[in-house]
Amino acid sequence: MTTRSTRPATIADLAASLKLSKSAVSNALNNRPGVSPATRARVQAAAERSGWRPNALAKALSTGQAGAFGLCIARDSRVLGSESYYQRVIAGIEEVLIDSDHALLLRLVGPTGRDLDVYRQWAREHRVDAVALFDLQADDPRPPLMDELGLPAVIQGSTTSTHHPVVNGDVHAEVRMIIEHVRSRGASRVIFLHGPTHFTHEIDRLAAMRAATRAHGMPLRTIETDYSQEQGLAQGRDLLADGWADAVITSNDLLAVGVARALGDLTGADSALQDPADVRIVSWDDSLLCAYMRPGITALNRHPQSTGRQVGRLLLSLVGAGSGAAATGAGSVPEDEGHRTTLVVRESSEVPDRIED
């Protein structure tokens, strides 16, 4: 009895069975000229029947492409494991890449500067065709390093780069949305718990927040944090104890949850705060934490999965595998139609008589 081979079919196998040259079969499978439409259809049908799949290494050798894009995140894994923003951005990138010949190569290296070594290794070994850069910093060495290494790059977030495609939101519109909302709920004194100010997006948020509160005559206190729920809790207890603030805005959902916990701990007969509703809380990032916290936390829905899709399309366009705005030059890419930033209003920013039973 003979045993049927489970070895994957090769171009040589297809050429032999169809009595064609290997070059003709290769041209047909790769949609290159040199074969007739009828032959192309016959080869592709035979490949489908035989279970033939392209060899990634052979394809890389013939196209000169690695078939992967790199994303190296230099952030504290403790925060990354709890914060949903990155997870949803990555999901958006994968949503675009799933129908392409490219995969996403992800590395988490922590805030130690090892990411620069990762980029050098990727370039030296030709592991990726382009990279996505997140969390740009003032005088960030990564954009010039990508130029030096010859690695095309897409930047997500605020940057001073003049020639890389950028996916970024409108921070001033986001701040106006938040400030106008808390003012409409009677707030007049604001605390802003933001992330580390070496990030350019936090520098931009601070500048926009100061401008908006100054324009409305609202006193502002700002405190730098590490984005963690623990710091939201600790800073919330310290800052809210005297009853000065009637609005707290946080740079992410974890900080907002910590502040909400602090607010619950501080209110009572022996505190300057008599009712948690005396303070409005708004998070810059929406998440399931904000939705299921009690009371629910008002938050900006910035549609991170849409951001990821934009990043994915631009990565593909950089290597000629897709279309994307600003693929060959600098400039911000507009948000997906129908996915513009909105404020999701929940109980944390409502005054008592507005809360529905």
Side-chain angles (χ1 to χ4, degrees):
M1 186 177 76
T2 60
T3 302
R4 186 175 179 179
S5 174
T6 59
R7 178 179 64 84
T10 66
I11 285 180
D13 295 333
L14 291 172
S17 66
L18 295 170
K19 295 181 171 52
L20 294 170
S21 68
K22 288 189 287 185
S23 62
V25 172
S26 177
N27 288 339
L29 292 172
N30 291 287
N31 290 312
R32 292 195 293 259
V35 294
S36 69
T39 298
R40 189 185 313 278
R42 189 159 66 97
V43 170
Q44 292 179 350
E48 182 67 26
R49 288 194 302 272
S50 68
W52 175 85
R53 292 292 181 271
N55 182 287
L57 178 59
K59 187 167 184 178
L61 290 172
S62 65
T63 64
Q65 292 189 350
F69 298 122
L71 175 57
C72 185
I73 300 178
R75 289 278 292 275
D76 188 335
S77 61
R78 177 174 56 101
V79 174
L80 282 174
S82 304
E83 192 178 80
S84 67
Y85 181 82
Y86 277 104
Q87 300 164 27
R88 294 164 69 188
V89 171
I90 291 169
I93 296 174
E94 291 284 14
E95 187 178 324
V96 172
L97 298 188
I98 191 67
D99 293 322
S100 76
D101 292 328
H102 278 73
L104 184 65
L105 180 57
L106 176 65
R107 289 291 301 273
L108 305 178
V109 297
T112 60
R114 291 179 56 202
D115 54 330
L116 301 182
D117 293 332
V118 170
Y119 295 124
R120 292 187 180 100
Q121 179 185 7
W122 282 349
R124 184 172 60 251
E125 298 176 359
H126 192 47
R127 298 284 299 277
V128 299
D129 298 312
V131 297
L133 304 179
F134 284 37
D135 292 329
L136 270 286
Q137 302 183 24
D139 299 319
D140 198 303
R142 289 176 295 170
L145 178 62
M146 298 309 106
D147 295 340
E148 176 188 328
L149 297 174
L151 271 179
V154 174
I155 293 175
Q156 193 277 313
S158 175
T159 178
T160 57
S161 172
T162 58
H163 61 281
H164 293 95
V166 178
V167 178
N168 196 20
D170 185 343
V171 66
H172 293 281
E174 292 169 356
V175 169
R176 286 195 300 270
M177 204 177 298
I178 293 171
I179 293 300
E180 289 172 5
H181 172 72
V182 296
R183 285 186 72 242
S184 73
R185 269 50 177 182
S188 59
R189 297 175 303 280
V190 178
I191 289 173
F192 180 32
L193 297 185
H194 56 84
T197 51
H198 56 257
F199 292 131
T200 54
H201 66 268
E202 292 294 350
I203 295 172
D204 289 350
R205 288 179 181 183
L206 265 171
M209 186 67 68
R210 285 169 175 150
T213 52
R214 188 185 310 117
H216 291 292
M218 302 172 75
L220 173 69
R221 293 179 182 175
T222 64
I223 302 293
E224 183 170 332
T225 73
D226 65 0
Y227 292 120
S228 69
Q229 183 178 158
E230 291 77 14
Q231 284 219 339
L233 177 62
Q235 294 290 353
R237 284 172 175 162
D238 290 344
L239 295 167
L240 295 172
D242 62 3
W244 178 84
D246 50 23
V248 179
I249 298 162
T250 68
S251 262
N252 74 348
D253 53 341
L254 298 177
L255 288 168
V257 169
V259 171
R261 289 176 55 198
L263 193 57
D265 293 344
L266 287 170
T267 51
D270 298 328
S271 171
L273 291 169
Q274 297 302 306
D275 190 325
D278 291 341
V279 179
R280 292 83 175 147
I281 302 173
V282 179
S283 166
W284 215 293
D285 286 332
D286 197 14
S287 69
L288 289 176
L289 281 176
C290 294
Y292 290 111
M293 184 75 180
R294 288 295 174 264
I297 296 174
T298 295
L300 284 177
N301 184 355
R302 298 189 291 136
H303 301 283
Q305 198 154 335
S306 170
T307 296
R309 288 194 294 270
Q310 294 174 69
V311 171
R313 287 194 292 268
L314 281 173
L315 287 169
L316 288 172
S317 69
L318 284 175
V319 298
S323 61
T328 58
S332 293
V333 178
E335 297 168 285
D336 278 3
E337 192 63 34
H339 292 92
R340 300 191 181 281
T341 298
T342 56
L343 187 70
V344 181
V345 178
R346 300 189 179 98
E347 294 92 337
S348 71
S349 65
E350 295 283 27
V351 291
D353 61 352
R354 293 180 184 268
I355 298 176
E356 297 179 0
D357 294 331

